[in-house]
Amino acid sequence: MPAGSAVKPQFPFLDLKAQYASISGEVEAAVSRVFESEIFIMGPEVSAFEEEIKPQTGCEFVFGCASGSDALLLALMALGIGPGDEVITVPFTFVATVGAIARLHARTVFVDIDPSTFNLDPRKLEAAITPRTKAIIAVHLFGLCADMDAILEVANRKGLPVVEDAAQAIGAQYHGKLAGSMGTFGCFSFFPSKNLGGAGDGGLITTNDPELAETIKLLRNHGSRTKYDYVVLGINSRLDALQAAVLRVKRRYLNQWTDGRRKNAARYRDLFRQSGSDNAIQLPIEPKDRFHIYNQFTLRTARRDEMKAHLASEGIPSEIYYPHPLHLEPAFRDLGYAAGAFPEAEKCAGEVLSLPIYPELKDEQLQAVVHAIADFHEGRR
Ligand SMILES: *Cc1c(COP(=O)(O)O)cnc(C)c1O
């Protein structure tokens, strides 16, 4: 570093090492327990985790599976989605939401988002429904629930099931109801960067429908009721016992970690207000009827790329979720959507910037982020 230059703050966008340092003894004991038992597929760790996580999903039936992507796939399989069917969702989401539909050779019909919540705009939902529509996937992006009452009102009137992509929203609430408990299925991910992250891939599918629960149980395990008795065509998508053991430890800290994220979000709001830069950027909203769990703290600014570069030069990490709306991605070109089809999603993709929000952040780090953004707006270097 050249003489005289200030020491730049150095911290990661997400600090999973700091989280691990606080629970390493418990995690190692849990992992050892699985090795001692040599039960790696299903077994007591998976059943115990499913029981323990239940209250945090608001659902009667919960099933571990291999990933959040598979949770979505299994939900659509259980609903019998296939070729010729249409499934409605948003273009501004992680690719897996749309991937699950495409895997089953069904057609994705996109609906634009409400730019204030980043979630499906229920006012645009009904116009997208056709006689071929078989389901709606509502994504609770960044940890904020979509407007479920309005979505369910349309869906119920049309007799359509709603699958909740709650991969980023474990513990989020809408009118006091937990994410994943309002639709026909809830789909969760334990990808390491989610609020409840495992030591690798993992997922969970939830429902309050006993018949669909039985179907999911079959589908995630090769379609077999007992060994070598194949009732339906299923897949291999189970939650590993090792993951379940790790998640049993981390689950106990989830509420505390969520509180930490919410406190950091509140602190950001205060600091941005104090710095005056809350006028130049659009901070994420938390409508009064919702409980945001801040998997991401995502702001909007028309000068996003410049701001990101400025932050990087000041040692401040930030990420773009997501840089491209999915209807314009080559993988989904065959759907035939052109640029301009979903203006809100397209505009968002060009303006969003996510800031570090994890519970282990220190106050001086939050201050450094806000100072760097204020400096950017004041043109200081
Ligand atoms: C992470 C995520 C998924 C997929 O979860 P994986 O466990 O990574 O397969 C699906 N949808 C959304 C919105 C996600 O953020």
Side-chain angles (χ1 to χ4, degrees):
M1 185 182 296
S5 72
V7 178
K8 304 263 160 99
Q10 283 291 328
F11 56 97
F13 181 75
L14 176 63
D15 195 350
L16 288 176
K17 286 184 183 164
Q19 185 195 69
Y20 182 61
S22 70
I23 54 169
S24 59
E26 288 177 274
V27 170
E28 282 160 23
V31 168
S32 296
R33 199 171 61 225
V34 176
F35 275 100
E36 294 299 331
S37 78
E38 290 289 304
I39 300 172
F40 297 110
I41 303 295
M42 304 305 286
E45 296 289 343
V46 174
S47 331
F49 173 67
E50 288 172 342
E51 279 310 311
E52 290 160 6
I53 194 75
K54 220 177 251 189
Q56 277 151 299
T57 69
C59 285
E60 205 175 328
F61 307 101
V62 315
F63 302 99
C65 62
S67 67
S69 303
D70 272 8
L72 290 162
L73 183 67
L74 286 163
L76 297 183
M77 285 173 75
L79 293 172
I81 305 295
D85 295 337
E86 293 177 357
V87 178
I88 293 175
T89 195
V90 286
F92 191 66
T93 176
F94 181 61
V95 64
T97 317
V98 181
I101 303 168
R103 280 265 144 253
L104 295 172
H105 304 283
R107 180 182 167 80
T108 303
V109 173
F110 288 119
V111 168
D112 210 352
I113 56 167
D114 173 340
S116 70
T117 62
F118 303 116
N119 286 324
L120 190 145
D121 186 343
R123 291 166 301 184
K124 296 177 178 158
L125 179 55
E126 191 155 358
I129 295 172
T130 78
R132 289 178 300 282
T133 308
K134 290 287 152 37
I136 297 160
I137 305 181
V139 184
H140 305 315
L141 205 68
F142 304 146
L144 178 69
C145 284
D147 188 357
M148 287 302 288
D149 278 355
I151 293 168
L152 286 167
E153 190 279 314
V154 177
N156 291 341
R157 190 154 39 77
K158 298 281 180 177
L160 293 171
V162 176
V163 174
E164 295 178 68
D165 182 343
Q168 301 182 6
I170 191 161
Q173 294 174 35
Y174 176 90
H175 290 181
K177 291 183 203 134
L178 285 160
S181 70
M182 295 170 273
T184 303
F185 286 112
C187 300
F188 296 87
S189 165
F190 304 124
F191 186 83
S193 67
K194 305 294 159 94
N195 285 26
L196 179 58
D201 281 309
L204 190 78
I205 176 156
T206 65
T207 185
N208 282 312
D209 182 317
E211 267 175 51
L212 288 172
E214 279 309 306
T215 307
I216 293 291
K217 208 151 111 188
L218 294 175
L219 288 174
R220 76 163 168 181
N221 196 14
H222 297 296
S224 62
R225 183 160 288 142
T226 58
K227 222 174 185 180
Y228 311 122
D229 161 27
Y230 307 110
V231 186
V232 290
L233 176 62
I235 59 175
N236 172 0
S237 184
R238 299 167 298 224
L239 181 67
D240 285 344
L242 276 168
Q243 295 303 338
V246 171
L247 290 165
R248 288 182 71 194
V249 173
K250 295 181 74 169
R251 185 205 62 81
R252 292 192 283 106
Y253 295 91
L254 179 60
N255 290 347
Q256 179 185 321
W257 290 335
T258 299
D259 282 350
R261 286 171 180 268
R262 289 178 54 79
K263 284 203 181 89
N264 288 343
R267 181 73 176 137
Y268 268 139
R269 292 185 199 284
D270 282 346
L271 290 169
F272 277 121
R273 200 177 316 116
Q274 285 164 26
S275 78
S277 47
D278 57 336
N279 297 318
I281 56 180
Q282 191 181 316
L283 294 176
I285 65 160
E286 181 181 33
K288 288 231 169 344
D289 60 356
R290 286 167 238 194
F291 182 84
H292 201 320
I293 60 141
Y294 294 103
N295 180 242
Q296 301 298 342
F297 185 89
T298 304
L299 57 81
R300 289 185 66 161
T301 166
R303 297 170 65 198
R304 193 265 317 277
D305 293 342
E306 284 170 84
M307 184 186 285
K308 188 176 190 337
H310 173 75
L311 291 178
S313 76
E314 294 295 316
I316 306 285
S318 64
E319 295 288 344
I320 299 170
Y321 301 117
Y322 296 94
H324 311 295
L326 294 175
H327 65 287
L328 301 180
E329 285 296 279
F332 303 111
R333 193 174 287 148
D334 60 338
L335 292 173
Y337 290 109
F342 305 102
E344 299 296 353
E346 290 167 33
K347 196 151 179 264
C348 264
E351 296 189 350
V352 285
L353 192 64
S354 297
L355 303 179
I357 190 69
Y358 50 96
E360 296 83 5
L361 279 170
K362 298 187 179 69
D363 199 62
E364 55 271 28
Q365 294 169 329
L366 296 169
Q367 291 183 39
V369 173
V370 174
H371 282 155
I373 289 177
D375 281 357
F376 171 73
H377 287 118
E378 287 160 26
R380 283 202 297 263
R381 289 275 132 194

